[in-house]
């Protein structure tokens, strides 16, 4: 690092000893994470086994979740007093800025109703349509044409493969709230290595479908129904090249979707019964 402006070093050849981690250094983010982890663990919080950026604390009267993204912290609890206590502790330790009730976090927009919470990515969707020139295109009624059979070696090679990969990457991020395009993104993601013009055309079809209702998202109901329900299905040998099948599932907590996925099988099934078993 260079000598800070205003600091005069009389003896040449000497180095400065860093007593405190500065913003912008390579180790700054690591030091901040360790400091925040130490502070939360001192309050009885524990790392989640699924994500090191998620902390939780369970007591007889409440449960608290703390999600951390760099220096943005999201707190949720079943007891309001626990939230206030944690905010006071963090403010005394780090001097935080309380932004109040959650409305926007990492591209997710949150709206509150009497029946629950609606999560969407409307702003991200509109920015995506503007970036790829589909803001004025007529909308489509389905994510992909059901009769469309894309192949890896069919059509002219795309002029800029990185353009296609960027589009699919952003569509993949959009599946956090748009489970209706999960299959389409999974299907188009198979051609990332060498995209062709038909693949890009199909990706634009998905964008035009999003144009129909960019505010569509997932609704988390506040009903006291905690039954877990899941639905799954699979086709048989859909892939025309490798004859592999594609499965899809969705998990509901009450009536609220909490997990979903569309994925191609890693092996070839020899019958429809074997497909369903896998």
């Amino acid at each position: 690092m260079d000598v800070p402006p205003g600091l005069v070093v009389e003896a040449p050849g000497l180095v400065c000893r860093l007593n405190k981690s500065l913003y912008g250094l390579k180790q700054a983010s690591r030091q901040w994470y360790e400091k925040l982890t130490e502070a939360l663990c001192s309050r009885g919080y524990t790392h989640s086994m699924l994500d090191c950026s998620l902390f939780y604390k369970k007591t007889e009267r409440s449960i608290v979740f703390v999600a951390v993204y760099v220096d943005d912290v999201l707190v949720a609890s079943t007891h309001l007093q626990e939230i206030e206590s944690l905010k006071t502790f963090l403010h005394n330790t780090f001097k935080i800025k309380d932004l109040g009730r959650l409305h926007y976090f990492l591209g997710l927009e949150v709206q509150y109703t009497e029946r629950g919470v609606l999560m969407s990515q409307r702003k991200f969707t509109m920015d995506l349509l503007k970036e790829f020139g589909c803001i004025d295109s007529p909308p489509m009624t389905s994510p992909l044409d059901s009769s469309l059979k894309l192949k890896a070696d069919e059509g002219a090679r795309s002029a800029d493969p990185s353009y296609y990969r960027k589009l699919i990457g952003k569509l993949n991020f959009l599946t956090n709230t748009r489970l209706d395009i999960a299959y389409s993104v999974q299907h188009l993601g198979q051609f990332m290595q060498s995209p062709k013009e038909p693949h890009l055309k199909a990706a634009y079809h998905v964008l035009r479908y999003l144009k129909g209702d960019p505010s569509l998202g997932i609704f988390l109901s506040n009903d006291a129904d905690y039954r877990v329900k899941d639905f799954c299905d699979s086709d048989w040998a859909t892939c025309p090249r490798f004859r592999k099948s594609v499965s899809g599932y969705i998990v509901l907590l009450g009536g609220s979707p909490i997990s979903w996925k569309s994925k191609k099988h890693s092996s070839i099934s020899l019958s429809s019964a074997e497909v369903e078993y896998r």
Side-chain angles (χ1 to χ4, degrees):
M1 59 175 291
D2 298 328
V3 177
L7 178 62
V8 179
V9 180
E10 298 180 355
L14 297 181
V15 297
C16 299
R17 180 179 179 181
L18 188 64
N19 295 322
K20 184 178 180 180
S21 182
L22 301 179
Y23 185 84
L25 296 180
K26 292 183 178 180
Q27 292 292 323
S29 57
R30 178 176 180 271
Q31 296 294 333
W32 156 246
Y33 179 76
E34 288 187 350
K35 182 67 176 178
L36 179 62
T37 301
E38 180 183 354
L40 291 176
C41 290
S42 67
R43 295 276 298 182
Y45 286 83
T46 307
H47 279 292
S48 170
M49 297 182 63
L50 301 177
D51 193 335
C52 291
S53 297
L54 179 64
F55 299 83
Y56 67 93
K57 178 182 178 182
K58 294 183 178 180
T59 61
E60 294 182 356
R61 65 172 186 174
S62 67
I63 179 172
V64 188
F65 290 99
V66 180
V68 180
Y69 181 77
V70 191
D71 56 352
D72 294 329
V73 180
L74 177 64
V75 182
S77 175
T78 57
H79 201 279
L80 185 60
Q81 186 176 354
E82 291 291 338
I83 297 180
E84 296 297 333
S85 176
L86 179 60
K87 288 195 298 184
T88 301
F89 169 75
L90 292 177
H91 181 71
N92 294 334
T93 308
F94 303 107
K95 305 301 180 183
I96 66 171
K97 182 179 180 181
D98 185 7
L99 300 179
R101 201 175 191 182
L102 176 65
H103 291 282
Y104 189 84
F105 187 74
L106 298 181
L108 300 179
E109 301 176 41
V110 181
Q111 299 178 355
Y112 301 91
T113 67
E114 295 181 356
R115 297 177 52 246
V117 175
L118 176 64
M119 298 179 61
S120 65
Q121 293 173 274
R122 183 183 182 280
K123 182 179 182 301
F124 181 84
T125 304
M126 296 302 297
D127 293 342
L128 185 62
L129 294 173
K130 293 178 182 178
E131 180 179 358
F132 290 91
C134 293
I135 192 67
D136 297 323
S137 301
M140 304 298 290
T141 57
S142 63
L144 278 182
D145 188 352
S146 58
S147 62
L148 183 65
K149 301 295 183 182
L150 296 174
K151 298 181 179 180
D153 54 356
E154 184 178 353
R157 183 178 177 86
S158 178
D160 185 6
S162 61
Y163 182 83
Y164 178 83
R165 295 165 188 158
K166 181 180 180 181
L167 172 56
I168 299 304
K170 293 198 172 187
L171 288 175
N172 187 47
F173 177 70
L174 196 56
T175 57
N176 287 321
T177 56
R178 294 297 297 261
L179 58 160
D180 52 337
I181 64 171
Y183 171 78
S184 303
V185 174
Q186 173 273 140
H187 187 53
L188 296 174
Q190 301 176 36
F191 312 107
M192 300 274 279
Q193 183 176 1
S194 181
K196 302 294 192 300
E197 288 298 331
H199 308 149
L200 182 60
K201 183 179 179 181
Y204 273 106
H205 186 110
V206 178
L207 286 177
R208 293 173 60 184
Y209 168 73
L210 297 174
K211 169 74 181 307
D213 190 358
S215 62
L216 189 64
I218 56 176
F219 183 74
L220 303 178
S221 175
N222 56 11
D223 292 339
D225 182 7
Y226 303 111
R227 293 176 297 174
V228 177
K229 297 175 287 185
D230 67 280
F231 302 89
C232 62
D233 198 3
S234 180
D235 54 22
W236 183 28
T238 293
C239 179
R241 184 177 181 183
F242 300 106
R243 312 309 298 174
K244 293 181 179 179
S245 308
V246 176
S247 292
Y249 71 81
I250 180 172
V251 182
L252 304 173
L253 180 62
S256 306
I258 58 175
S259 181
W260 54 87
K261 193 172 187 178
S262 178
K263 182 181 180 181
K264 180 191 285 188
H265 291 191
S266 58
S267 59
I268 300 176
S269 300
L270 302 181
S271 67
S272 58
E274 183 180 351
V275 170
E276 299 290 348
Y277 173 77
R278 291 186 181 276

